[in-house]
C-alpha cells in the first residue's frame, strides 16, 4: 500500500479502563501523536488488541501517495498535526492481529488470524481491513496495477507470525523495483544545484557489512533537497561508513554518519552490486539502519 508499517496497541473501552491507542513504527518509535484520528480505533471494539497494519495517505483519487504521507511523518507539534489532519487524509489498513485480550495468537496459522481479524469488525472512518485474495497471483498483480497500487504481498496460509525479522512466508512483489538504502555521503551539485546536493552516496548491508551501492541524483524536489542538506550537515563526519566507495567518488564526497534511511526506485542491480538508474523516493524514518539489506 506504499505507506509505513505500524503496530497498534489498543486498550478497549471497558468500564474499568479508559480506551486508548498507542502506535509504534517498525523502528520501535512511538508515533501516536502524529496520527490522532486513529484514536477512533479504540472505540471500534471493546477488546484489548495488538494489531499490525500500514498507515497510508490517500490522494484525491483515493490512491496511496507516499509523498503526501511524508508530510505527516514525525510531526510532533500538536498544532501542526491538527492542521495536517485537515489537509492530508490518512487511513490505517489492518492486515494482522497479534493478540486479543492478552492472548497471543502469533503461532496461529495466518488464515485463522485473518479470520479473527475480520470477526473483530474494525472498519471505521480512518481504519479498514483491505481485501485478501486466494487464487492466481497474476490476477492479483493485474488488479493491483490497475488500481495504482505498489504491488502485492503473497502470504502462506499456514504461516505463523514471526516478529522482529523478515519472513520468507511473506513475499513482497512490486510493479517497480525499490530498495531501502542508507545515506553514507553526498556529492556537491553544479549549475542549478550549486551549493547544495548533486547526488547521494548510498549503502546497503551485505553479509552484515555496510557496502557502497551506488548514487542517486534524480527524483528530488527542491524542498526535499533543502531538507536533506540540513539533516546531512547535522550528521557530518570525516570518513565513509562503507570501505568500498570507488576512489573517483571518495575524493570529493561529503561523508555522514549512517543514520538516515531512504528509499529509491531503480532499474537493476549491476554485477558489482550497484543500483542502476536509481531515483529518489524519500526518507524512511520508520525503517532502522540495521534492517537495510538487499531486497
Amino acid at each position: 500500500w506504499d505507506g509505513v508499517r505500524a503496530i497498534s496497541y489498543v486498550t478497549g473501552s471497558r468500564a474499568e479502563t479508559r480506551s486508548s491507542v498507542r502506535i509504534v513504527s517498525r523502528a520501535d518509535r512511538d508515533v501516536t501523536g502524529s496520527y490522532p484520528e486513529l484514536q477512533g480505533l479504540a472505540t471500534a471494539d471493546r477488546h484489548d488488541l495488538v494489531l499490525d497494519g500500514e498507515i497510508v495517505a490517500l490522494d484525491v483519487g483515493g490512491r496511496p501517495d507516499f509523498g503526501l504521507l511524508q508530510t505527516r511523518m514525525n510531526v510532533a507539534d500538536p498544532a501542526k498535526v491538527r492542521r495536517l489532519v485537515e489537509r492530508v487524509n490518512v487511513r490505517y489498513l489492518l492486515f494482522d492481529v497479534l493478540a486479543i485480550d492478552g492472548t497471543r495468537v502469533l503461532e496461529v496459522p495466518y488464515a485463522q488470524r485473518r479470520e479473527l481479524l475480520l470477526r473483530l469488525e474494525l472498519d471505521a472512518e480512518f481504519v479498514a481491513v483491505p481485501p485478501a485474495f486466494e487464487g492466481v497471483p497474476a490476477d492479483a498483480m493485474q488488479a493491483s496495477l490497475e488500481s495504482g497500487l505498489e504491488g502485492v504481498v503473497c502470504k502462506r496460509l499456514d504461516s505463523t507470525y514471526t516478529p522482529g525479522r523478515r519472513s520468507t512466508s511473506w513475499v513482497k512483489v512490486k510493479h517497480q523495483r525499490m530498495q531501502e538504502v542508507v545515506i553514507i555521503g553526498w556529492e556537491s551539485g553544479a549549475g542549478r544545484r550549486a551549493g547544495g546536493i548533486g547526488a547521494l552516496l548510498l549503502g546497503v548491508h551485505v553479509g552484515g557489512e555496510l557496502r557502497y551501492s551506488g548514487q542517486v541524483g534524480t527524483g528530488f524536489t527542491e524542498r526535499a533537497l533543502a531538507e536533506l542538506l540540513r539533516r546531512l550537515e547535522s550528521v557530518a563526519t570525516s570518513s565513509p561508513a562503507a570501505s568500498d566507495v570507488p576512489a573517483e567518488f571518495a575524493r570529493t564526497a561529503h561523508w555522514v554518519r549512517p543514520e538516515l534511511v531512504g528509499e529509491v526506485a531503480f532499474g537493476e542491480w549491476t554485477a558489482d552490486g550497484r543500483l542502476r538508474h536509481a531515483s529518489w523516493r524519500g526518507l524512511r524514518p520508520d525503517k532502522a539502519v540495521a534492517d537495510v539489506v538487499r531486497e
Side-chain angles (χ1 to χ4, degrees), residues 24 28 42 67 86 89 92 99-100 125 127 161 169 180 182 186 205-206 219 245 257 262 276 285 289:
V24 179
D28 286 333
E86 296 298 319
N89 177 26
Y92 186 28
I100 301 176
E125 183 179 1
V127 180
Y161 189 97
S169 295
E180 294 164 12
V182 179
W186 56 281
H205 287 100
V206 180
V245 181
R257 298 192 299 274
R276 287 195 64 197
V289 168

Side-chain angles (χ1 to χ4, degrees), residues 170-183:
W170 290 15
V171 179
K172 186 187 300 182
V173 187
K174 299 181 180 180
H175 300 296
Q176 185 180 27
R177 291 188 176 190
M178 282 179 261
Q179 172 67 47
E180 294 164 12
V181 292
V182 179
I183 302 175

Side-chain angles (χ1 to χ4, degrees), residues 26 51 72 175 195 199 211 229 262 278 286 295:
R26 199 178 84 170
L51 303 165
R72 296 287 308 266
H175 300 296
R211 305 294 298 274
L229 182 60
D286 57 313
E295 296 182 29

Side-chain angles (χ1 to χ4, degrees), residues 186 195-196 226-237 255-257 260:
W186 56 281
E227 172 65 12
L228 272 170
L229 182 60
R230 182 186 68 79
R231 298 192 65 173
L232 292 175
E233 287 177 338
S234 72
V235 292
T237 189
W255 303 117
V256 299
R257 298 192 299 274
L260 298 177

Side-chain angles (χ1 to χ4, degrees), residues 17-36:
T17 63
R18 292 186 61 186
S19 62
S20 66
V21 178
R22 182 167 67 93
I23 303 170
V24 179
S25 74
R26 199 178 84 170
D28 286 333
R29 297 178 58 185
D30 191 318
V31 296
T32 307
S34 297
Y35 309 103

